[in-house]
């Protein structure tokens, strides 16, 4: 039978609806889903889990418990300066399915005194994985088939079992992450909180998340096969979990549990905790939905914002599809003019800087010149003073030499007089009476000073030369002194 295609009421751009035809016999394309499965199995899968929670809250233990293995994790210290993301990738195999699992640990989360920026390294890490994928997509030669997709598919957010309310760090971090990753909140170490307290705590957490507008991942209810179970599980969020890799004998069975003096907490006992619910939802039912949501919702949002930022649009103002070539040209022009503007700005800045430096140098030169002039003046003044002093000294020296010569003359006269004393005794007597002036040991005759040895006998000095220089010896007799000078 041939189906009728709708050919009426078509707009110019609308595609005609395809006609439905029935087949005469088995063709074989009903095997397409099997081909898809087979191809996916061959290709393998990747799944990336981000664990955010305080150090020692049980992240590593829960990962080991979830995948029933022991991942290589080194114990984190509480003294990290900032939050650091540590991804580790493992190849796991179950039946014929290969899973490339990456566990990313937010090391040092909640350990700093100032926690304002604790969320930033986590956001940056998630964005970096989106960016890597986008770069691969934009390549001319893409190899998305072999590409190791590191985009974070789920964030397990570990809440401390305080029984009170969420910490502001938890609210801020979840709010910053909710548009970038699927968040599943879990209450860690649920064996440390009583059943009634846990019930109230869960209600409180959900209330706080809603009132703060934090969007957590909701298990999808649009697929009939899983709608019911997912709806039930959504009501159990946040899951309260217990982790342990220790095996304890309960009855005849060895089970993973935590043993206490008062009893045993079994990890996989749904009356004890929600571990099984978490494993069901995360791994067995919704793993593909988490991968799908990451690609179609979170990555799509990142990609759209990024491309819009770069100037790309789906259509122009007149709803005409935008040509990639035109957008590229426009963007290139914009970039070049921006580059030119920046170049001009830098050139101007350089010229200004040179001018400033030139002015500074000139000012320094002027200061130096002034300093030099001042020093020159000081130097001339000092030179003048030294000259004056030299002249004074020279005058003093010549006066002294004159005095010395006079004294030496006096001395030799005195000596001469002493040696001729007996011969001239009478004559002296006469002279003395003539002049009428007699000084002990010294005579003044025709303006010449006569000095006997006795008259210049030093008063204070032991020999002649110091005595001549010494004032108190020379001024022994005032009359003589005046005559001498
Ligand atoms: P991480 O730093 O968050 O990776 O924490 P670990 O997984 O290294 O666990 C820190 C400590 O908490 C270890 O001594 C674990 O045995 C313990 N622990 C882990 N999970 C639980 C749990 O569910 N309940 C209790 N009571 N202790 C746990």
């Amino acid at each position: 039978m041939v189906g009728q295609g709708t050919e009426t009421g078509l707009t110019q751009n609308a595609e005609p609806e395809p006609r439905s035809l029935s087949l005469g016999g088995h063709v074989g394309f009903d095997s397409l889903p099997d081909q898809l499965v087979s191809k996916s199995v061959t290709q393998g899968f990747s799944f990336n889990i981000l664990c955010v929670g305080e150090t020692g809250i049980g992240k590593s233990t829960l990962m080991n418990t979830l995948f029933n293995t022991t991942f290589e994790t080194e114990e984190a210290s509480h003294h990290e300066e900032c939050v650091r993301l540590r991804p580790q990738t493992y190849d796991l195999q179950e039946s014929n399915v290969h899973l490339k699992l990456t566990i990313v640990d937010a090391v040092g989360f909640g350990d700093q005194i100032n926690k304002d920026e604790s969320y930033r390294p986590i956001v940056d890490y998630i964005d970096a994985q989106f960016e890597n994928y986008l770069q691969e997509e934009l390549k001319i030669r893409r190899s998305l088939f072999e590409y190791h997709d590191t985009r974070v598919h789920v964030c397990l957010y570990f809440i401390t079992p305080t029984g009170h309310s969420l910490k502001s760090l938890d609210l801020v971090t979840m709010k910053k992450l909710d548009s970038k990753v699927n968040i599943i909140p879990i209450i860690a170490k649920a064996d440390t909180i009583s059943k009634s307290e846990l019930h109230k705590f869960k209600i409180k957490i959900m209330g706080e998340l809603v009132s703060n507008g934090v969007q957590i991942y909701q298990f999808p209810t649009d697929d009939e096969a899983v709608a019911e179970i997912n709806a039930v599980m959504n009501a159990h969020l946040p899951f309260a979990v217990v982790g342990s890799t220790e095996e304890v004998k309960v009855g005849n069975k060895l089970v993973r549990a935590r043993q206490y003096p008062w009893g045993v907490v079994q990890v996989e006992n749904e009356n004890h905790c929600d571990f099984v619910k978490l494993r069901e939802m995360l791994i067995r039912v919704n793993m593909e939905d988490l991968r799908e949501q990451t690609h179609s919702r979170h990555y799509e949002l990142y990609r759209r914002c990024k491309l819009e930022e770069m100037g790309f649009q789906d259509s122009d103002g007149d709803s005409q599809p935008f040509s990639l070539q035109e957008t590229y040209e426009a963007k290139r022009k914009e970039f070049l003019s921006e580059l030119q503007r920046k170049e001009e700005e830098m050139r101007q800045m350089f010229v200004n800087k040179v001018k400033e430096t030139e002015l500074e140098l000139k000012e320094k030169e002027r200061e130096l010149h002034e300093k030099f002039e001042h020093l020159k003046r000081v130097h001339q003044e000092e030179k003048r003073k030294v000259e004056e002093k030299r002249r004074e000294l020279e005058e003093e020296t010549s006066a002294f030499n004159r005095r010395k010569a006079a004294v030496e003359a006096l001395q030799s006269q005195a000596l001469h007089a002493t040696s001729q004393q007996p011969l001239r005794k009478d004559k002296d007597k006469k002279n003395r009476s003539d002049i009428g002036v007699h000084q002990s040991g010294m005579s003044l005759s025709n303006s010449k000073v006569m000095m006997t040895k006795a008259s210049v006998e030093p008063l204070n000095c032991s020999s002649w030369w110091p005595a001549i220089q010494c004032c108190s010896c020379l001024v022994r007799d005032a009359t003589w002194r005046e005559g001498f000078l």
Side-chain angles (χ1 to χ4, degrees), residues 23 26-35:
L23 310 172
H26 180 250
V27 179
F29 59 78
D30 60 349
S31 69
L32 252 178
D34 302 330
Q35 292 173 34

Side-chain angles (χ1 to χ4, degrees), residues 54-61 189 191-192 242-243 258 260:
E54 291 167 14
T55 309
I57 203 167
K59 301 186 289 292
S60 323
T61 311
K189 298 190 178 179
D191 53 329
T192 60
V242 173
R258 299 191 74 83
Y260 294 103

Side-chain angles (χ1 to χ4, degrees), residues 19 27 78 154 244 364:
R19 288 189 302 162
V27 179
H78 284 273
V154 66
S244 176
K364 280 213 173 103

Side-chain angles (χ1 to χ4, degrees), residues 98-326:
H98 289 268
L99 180 70
K100 204 176 250 187
L101 177 73
T102 301
I103 298 173
V104 189
D105 192 0
V107 181
F109 184 79
D111 283 337
Q112 295 74 37
I113 294 170
N114 183 353
K115 301 181 179 70
D116 290 354
E117 295 287 300
S118 295
Y119 70 86
R120 197 169 290 284
I122 305 172
V123 168
D124 290 347
Y125 177 84
I126 296 171
D127 280 347
Q129 310 319 306
F130 284 151
E131 184 60 32
N132 291 346
Y133 193 86
L134 180 64
Q135 289 305 323
E136 188 60 37
E137 261 192 349
L138 294 176
K139 274 185 189 167
I140 293 174
R141 290 174 193 214
R142 301 183 295 178
S143 52
L144 287 169
F145 191 74
E146 298 108 58
Y147 178 77
H148 177 207
D149 184 3
T150 55
R151 293 172 298 173
V152 179
H153 299 118
V154 66
C155 164
L156 293 182
Y157 196 96
F158 289 68
I159 297 166
T160 318
T162 57
H164 294 275
S165 54
L166 280 173
K167 296 177 185 174
S168 51
L169 172 67
D170 299 330
L171 279 173
V172 169
T173 310
M174 280 196 257
K175 185 84 199 126
K176 294 281 180 193
L177 298 183
D178 70 355
S179 60
K180 295 180 179 291
V181 66
N182 302 308
I183 301 175
I184 300 182
I186 52 181
I187 299 169
K189 298 190 178 179
D191 53 329
T192 60
I193 188 167
S194 76
K195 200 169 181 175
S196 58
E197 276 177 338
L198 183 65
H199 182 65
K200 284 186 210 151
F201 192 37
K202 277 189 175 190
I203 295 171
K204 191 148 197 183
I205 289 171
M206 289 313 282
E208 281 180 335
L209 291 177
V210 171
S211 61
N212 286 283
V214 178
Q215 298 273 323
I216 59 167
Y217 174 72
Q218 293 291 307
F219 304 116
T221 50
D222 43 8
D223 178 356
E224 268 178 36
V226 288
E228 197 182 331
I229 178 134
N230 276 354
V232 173
M233 289 301 160
N234 278 332
H236 274 92
L237 285 170
F239 295 135
V241 296
V242 173
S244 176
T245 44
E246 200 184 316
E247 297 208 311
V248 179
K249 196 158 188 188
V250 177
N252 295 329
K253 278 190 353 189
L254 268 179
V255 293
R256 285 183 300 169
R258 299 191 74 83
Q259 193 163 26
Y260 294 103
W262 39 262
V264 172
V265 180
Q266 296 171 37
V267 170
E268 295 182 52
N269 185 332
E270 288 202 55
N271 289 321
H272 291 188
C273 72
D274 298 333
F275 174 80
V276 172
K277 293 187 182 74
L278 173 68
R279 190 179 59 194
E280 282 293 306
M281 290 295 98
L282 179 71
I283 302 173
R284 300 185 182 176
V285 180
N286 295 304
M287 202 180 228
E288 183 49 28
D289 185 68
L290 286 162
R291 283 159 37 90
E292 163 70 21
Q293 290 284 319
T294 301
H295 185 73
S296 61
R297 203 168 127 223
H298 301 300
Y299 172 66
E300 205 54 33
L301 179 66
Y302 177 85
R303 181 180 169 277
R304 198 179 70 214
C305 294
K306 201 74 192 177
L307 293 182
E308 278 173 2
E309 224 174 75
M310 288 161 75
F312 294 105
Q313 285 171 14
D314 286 335
S315 60
D316 61 15
D318 310 321
S319 301
Q320 291 298 310
F322 234 76
S323 129
L324 193 67
Q325 179 67 23
E326 278 172 25

